Amino acid sequence: MPNIRPLPEALQKIACEELNEIPERIDEDLQDFREWIGRQRHLRARTDDQFLTSFLRGCKYSLEKAKSKLDKYYTLRTKYPEFYTIQNIDDPRVVELYKMGIGLHLPTPLHETGPRIQYVRPGNYPTDKYTFSDVMAIANAFQELNMLFDDYCVINGYVQILDMSSYTASHILQLTPNVVRKITTFAEDALPLRQRAVHIVNTSPAFDRLLNMIRALMPLKQQQRLFIHGSNWQSLYEHIPQKYLPQELGGENSSFDEINKLQWQVFQEYREYFVKMKVCEKTNLLTTRKYLA
């Protein structure tokens, strides 16, 4: 039997019907995946059951797609570590930036058993002190925890709400085409989590102009997942009922402060995990350089 968390009945049904999961074959699928990893001289990847199962589920059990995503996952993290990984979990700047609550993962999934809801305030940090790369390092670290420990996010994916109310011209200047490509490439080609939709609220005319530029850089699938609501919250509620939103938005899904405190506790619980992963990332970098030399 594979060493993975058992799924609640409702999630297991979705995994079978939508992700092509056949519980009796998971062991065989994992073995094939591990054997392929063992043949890749340049790749030093984790091979535990839960980690690899996340990639298989994220690729609907297409082994070829899972191979491609895993390779891209490590390639990008190795090539741009400052963007995709936290370099020092104990850095006071990391702690301060985290506690600003830029990204909040709401406790109750959509419709109780559906996608995880992520409420993001991308303008909730001072641009004279931090870059967007600093923000993304923390965001990607939490997506990694979702991939490993949040079965709702792995099976059903996630929906994002981007609140642009604090977004300024200085934030726009940090969102260069290169940064946009890094975000979209990782989300589409490397992360084994399905982004189901992005809902953008509280936009300004300046951001609308930026959005037109960003759209051209996005893959077609991501363009189709994008919804712009401006200040029309009723339009958002048609997709995400109020009860699943934070209390500050008229919902019942906890409060900003409560969510942020809970996330900080989770972050601290997995401190040693991030320290260990940083050592592994350095080993992978040295191995890759040796292979390419």
Side-chain angles (χ1 to χ4, degrees), residues 218-225:
M218 287 182 172
L220 180 60
K221 283 185 179 180
Q222 292 187 351
Q223 294 183 38
Q224 295 172 339
R225 299 173 191 146

Short mmCIF file of all heavy atoms in Angstrom, two decimals, residues 218-225:
data_model
loop_
_atom_site.label_atom_id
_atom_site.label_comp_id
_atom_site.label_asym_id
_atom_site.label_seq_id
_atom_site.Cartn_x
_atom_site.Cartn_y
_atom_site.Cartn_z
N MET A 218 -0.04 35.55 -21.08
CA MET A 218 -0.61 34.37 -20.42
C MET A 218 -0.97 33.28 -21.43
O MET A 218 -1.42 33.58 -22.54
CB MET A 218 -1.90 34.76 -19.67
CG MET A 218 -1.68 35.55 -18.41
SD MET A 218 -3.29 35.89 -17.61
CE MET A 218 -2.74 36.61 -16.07
N PRO A 219 -0.80 32.01 -21.03
CA PRO A 219 -1.34 30.92 -21.86
C PRO A 219 -2.86 31.06 -21.97
O PRO A 219 -3.50 31.66 -21.09
CB PRO A 219 -0.96 29.67 -21.07
CG PRO A 219 0.18 30.10 -20.20
CD PRO A 219 -0.07 31.53 -19.87
N LEU A 220 -3.44 30.50 -23.02
CA LEU A 220 -4.87 30.62 -23.27
C LEU A 220 -5.70 30.12 -22.09
O LEU A 220 -6.70 30.74 -21.71
CB LEU A 220 -5.26 29.86 -24.55
CG LEU A 220 -6.74 29.91 -24.93
CD1 LEU A 220 -7.19 31.35 -25.16
CD2 LEU A 220 -6.99 29.06 -26.17
N LYS A 221 -5.28 29.01 -21.49
CA LYS A 221 -6.02 28.47 -20.36
C LYS A 221 -6.13 29.47 -19.22
O LYS A 221 -7.18 29.62 -18.59
CB LYS A 221 -5.36 27.18 -19.85
CG LYS A 221 -5.63 25.95 -20.69
CD LYS A 221 -5.02 24.72 -20.02
CE LYS A 221 -5.31 23.47 -20.83
NZ LYS A 221 -4.71 22.27 -20.19
N GLN A 222 -5.02 30.15 -18.94
CA GLN A 222 -5.03 31.12 -17.85
C GLN A 222 -5.88 32.34 -18.19
O GLN A 222 -6.52 32.92 -17.31
CB GLN A 222 -3.60 31.53 -17.50
CG GLN A 222 -2.80 30.40 -16.88
CD GLN A 222 -1.45 30.85 -16.39
OE1 GLN A 222 -1.01 31.96 -16.64
NE2 GLN A 222 -0.76 29.96 -15.68
N GLN A 223 -5.92 32.72 -19.45
CA GLN A 223 -6.79 33.82 -19.86
C GLN A 223 -8.25 33.48 -19.60
O GLN A 223 -9.03 34.32 -19.15
CB GLN A 223 -6.58 34.14 -21.33
CG GLN A 223 -5.21 34.69 -21.68
CD GLN A 223 -5.09 35.05 -23.15
OE1 GLN A 223 -6.03 35.55 -23.77
NE2 GLN A 223 -3.93 34.78 -23.73
N GLN A 224 -8.61 32.24 -19.85
CA GLN A 224 -10.00 31.81 -19.67
C GLN A 224 -10.40 31.70 -18.20
O GLN A 224 -11.58 31.69 -17.87
CB GLN A 224 -10.21 30.47 -20.37
CG GLN A 224 -10.07 30.55 -21.89
CD GLN A 224 -10.09 29.20 -22.57
OE1 GLN A 224 -9.82 28.16 -21.94
NE2 GLN A 224 -10.38 29.18 -23.86
N ARG A 225 -9.42 31.61 -17.31
CA ARG A 225 -9.71 31.49 -15.88
C ARG A 225 -9.78 32.85 -15.20
O ARG A 225 -10.03 32.92 -14.00
CB ARG A 225 -8.61 30.67 -15.20
CG ARG A 225 -8.46 29.24 -15.69
CD ARG A 225 -7.25 28.61 -15.05
NE ARG A 225 -6.90 27.33 -15.67
CZ ARG A 225 -5.66 26.88 -15.80
NH1 ARG A 225 -4.66 27.61 -15.36
NH2 ARG A 225 -5.42 25.72 -16.37
#
